[in-house]
Amino acid sequence: MSTDMSTVVIVGAGQAGGETALALRQQGYAGRIVLIGEETHPPYRRPPLSKTYLNGELAAAALLLRSEEAYATAGIELMLGRQVEAIARNDRTVICKDGATLHYDHLVLATGGQVRKLALPGSDAPNVYYLRTIADARRLREALAPGRRVVVVGGGYVGLEVAASAAKAGAQVTVLEGASRLLARVAGAELSVFFETLHRAHGVDIQTGVAVSGFEFKDGKVVSVLAGGRAFTADCVIVGIGLIPGTALAENAGLEVSDGIVVDEFARTGDERIYAVGDCARHFHPALGRSVRLESVPSASEMAKAAASAIVGKPKPISAVPWFWSDQFGIKLQMAGMPEGHDAFVERRAPGSAAFSLCYLREGQLIAVASVNAPLDFQAARELIARKLPVNALTLADTATPLRNAL
C-alpha cells in the first residue's frame, strides 16, 4: 500500500462515489478518503428502486454497497446529509453549505443527476411522483395498490420498469410516451415492439405519440392527465422523463461542461486534480471512438476504477464495452455496445423460443447486441464487440451453433 498521506475528497455518495472510494483502497491508496453525500444513506444501488425494492421483494439494507461499519474499517470517512456548495480550485478546497471546508489533493465529482421534471402547472401535486432516491421509492410504494389507476409519463427503461412494478402490484397502468415508440432514444425499433407487446400482454395500456399538456385537479390532487387531446384518469402519476446531469459545481468552478462534466478516458477533467465519474460525466470512450455520457451502473463502475487508478499513479483507461440491463415482468434484457450507425441487423432466435438476441453490425463487425433471456449469447456478443472481430451474419442467425464459437 502507498505511504502517500494526501487526501481524496469524493463529492457524491451514490454508487459511483462509493465504488471510487472502495477502488482507491483496493488499488493501494493509503491517504485520507472523505466521501460526502446529500442523502443520509451510505452509497446504495439505484436500479432496484424501480423493480425489486419498489415491489417489496428487497429490503433497504440489501441496497447498500457496504455497511457503514465496512467504510469505517476501510478508513473511508462518510460525511452524510451534507451538501457541497462550491469548489475553490486555487485553494484546493470544497466548501459545504454549512460553512465547513475540506482540503483535497484530488477531488472526484460523483454528483449524479436530478430527475427531469415536467414543466407544467400542477406537476408538484402530492400524487405526482418522481423516482431517484430510497425516499422517493418508499413514498411511491405506499401509493401503489390493487385497483389504483396509475399513469406513467415516459416510456424509457425507468418508466417501463415502474409500470411493470405497478401492474404487478395490481394497479391499472397507462404509459404515456411522447415519441412514436417506446425506448425511442435508447433502443432499436425491434426492441420497442417487443416491450410494447410484453406490457400490453400484462394489461398495461401503452399510448405513444402523445405529449402531456396539463392536468385536471380535484381537492389539490391530479385526477386526470391531459395528453394527445385525451384525458387519462389517475390516482397516481409517475414521471420518468430522464435525468439532468449534476454539473453545477463543476460549471461554477470553471470546468468544461457539455451535457455532463467533460473528462478523458481516465475520468480526468481539464484540471489534473479533479475527476468526474458516473451519470454526471461525459467521457471519451476508446472502444466507441467518441465521447458519451452513460447512465448505467457498469459505466459508473468502470469510471470509478479508472479514476482510482489514475490517482494512485497507475492509470488504466476506461475500455470495457458499455452495457446495460433491465428487468420487466420476469424478462431479463441485457444490452452491450451502441447500435447507432449499423448497416445490418440479425435476429438470433430458435423456433418457438422466448429467448432471443438482436444483433447489430457495421461493415461486418458486431457493434451492439440486445439479448432477452439469453445470457450466454450476451456474454459471447460482448466479447465479439470488444475484440472487434469480423462475424458472418449467417453465423449469428444460426442458433444451433453457440455464439461463442464465433470467437
Side-chain angles (χ1 to χ4, degrees):
M1 181 177 281
S2 168
T3 58
D4 176 22
M5 294 308 294
S6 60
T7 298
V8 175
V9 173
I10 303 169
V11 180
Q15 184 152 359
E19 292 208 19
T20 302
L22 295 167
L24 282 166
R25 286 292 185 241
Q26 290 162 359
Q27 296 188 36
Y29 181 76
R32 184 187 184 197
I33 301 174
V34 183
L35 183 57
I36 308 174
E38 293 187 22
E39 293 185 64
T40 57
H41 304 282
Y44 62 88
R45 298 176 292 127
R46 295 189 193 275
L49 295 182
S50 59
K51 301 181 279 290
T52 50
Y53 182 73
L54 186 58
N55 63 32
E57 295 177 10
L58 195 69
L63 297 174
L64 301 181
L65 291 184
R66 299 286 192 280
S67 66
E68 287 198 49
E69 293 76 13
Y71 290 99
T73 299
I76 298 168
E77 300 173 41
L78 296 180
M79 292 180 60
L80 304 177
R82 306 286 283 274
Q83 183 177 349
V84 173
E85 195 168 49
I87 302 166
R89 288 170 58 189
N90 290 340
D91 299 329
R92 296 212 304 269
T93 59
V94 296
I95 304 161
C96 296
K97 193 172 183 178
D98 61 7
T101 62
L102 277 170
H103 170 81
Y104 66 82
D105 293 285
H106 292 94
L107 173 64
V108 181
L109 300 176
T111 46
Q114 300 79 43
V115 291
R116 190 179 301 277
K117 296 193 173 182
L118 285 174
L120 292 171
S123 58
D124 58 351
N127 60 334
V128 175
Y129 297 83
Y130 296 85
L131 181 59
R132 180 66 178 168
T133 67
I134 288 177
D136 293 337
R138 283 175 178 163
R139 287 183 59 240
L140 182 54
R141 184 195 289 177
E142 293 171 0
L144 299 180
R148 297 295 297 275
R149 295 161 299 183
V150 175
V151 171
V152 177
V153 180
Y157 285 120
V158 171
L160 292 180
E161 288 168 359
V162 169
S165 294
K168 186 174 181 179
Q172 301 173 28
V173 185
T174 298
V175 174
L176 305 179
E177 168 56 48
S180 60
R181 60 182 177 85
L182 300 176
L183 305 171
R185 291 170 290 278
V186 292
E190 302 81 12
L191 207 57
S192 298
V193 171
F194 171 79
F195 277 105
E196 179 170 345
T197 302
L198 176 67
H199 276 257
R200 289 189 184 282
H202 285 83
V204 178
D205 179 23
I206 301 292
Q207 299 289 329
T208 57
V210 293
V212 174
S213 57
F215 303 108
E216 290 181 348
F217 293 89
K218 183 178 181 181
D219 299 327
K221 292 188 176 183
V222 171
V223 294
S224 61
V225 181
L226 309 178
R230 297 172 58 191
F232 297 88
T233 305
D235 295 307
C236 169
V237 179
I238 306 164
V239 182
I241 54 174
L243 188 75
I244 300 172
T247 60
L249 271 178
E251 193 165 8
N252 292 338
L255 300 173
E256 185 181 358
V257 169
S258 177
D259 183 37
I261 303 166
V262 177
V263 298
D264 64 11
E265 64 269 37
F266 301 101
R268 294 180 301 208
T269 68
D271 183 327
E272 64 179 10
R273 298 275 183 170
I274 303 178
Y275 299 73
V277 298
D279 293 351
C280 69
R282 170 172 289 275
H283 68 282
F284 179 79
H285 201 299
L288 302 175
R290 59 187 175 88
S291 292
V292 290
R293 186 176 69 83
L294 301 171
E295 297 172 14
S296 81
V297 168
S299 175
S301 298
E302 287 297 317
M303 296 187 78
K305 293 172 187 174
S309 70
I311 289 170
V312 301
K314 301 176 181 178
K316 295 180 181 178
I318 301 159
S319 58
V321 173
W323 65 279
F324 318 82
W325 81 90
S326 180
D327 295 298
Q328 300 170 42
F329 296 118
I331 296 294
K332 180 77 168 184
L333 167 69
Q334 295 170 293
M335 299 180 64
M338 297 289 186
E340 292 93 338
H342 71 276
D343 55 27
F345 164 76
V346 175
E347 180 173 349
R348 179 179 171 84
R349 186 201 298 255
S353 174
F356 62 92
S357 292
L358 307 177
C359 306
Y360 301 86
L361 299 94
R362 183 170 61 231
E363 297 179 355
Q365 288 185 353
L366 186 65
I367 60 169
V369 66
S371 296
V372 171
N373 290 347
L376 295 181
D377 276 2
F378 172 73
Q379 293 297 336
R382 274 184 68 191
E383 192 168 346
L384 279 169
I385 296 167
R387 292 168 61 179
K388 298 183 178 181
L389 297 175
V391 60
N392 187 286
L394 293 177
T395 301
L396 290 176
D398 181 14
T399 56
T401 303
L403 190 53
R404 181 157 292 278
N405 288 10
L407 295 168

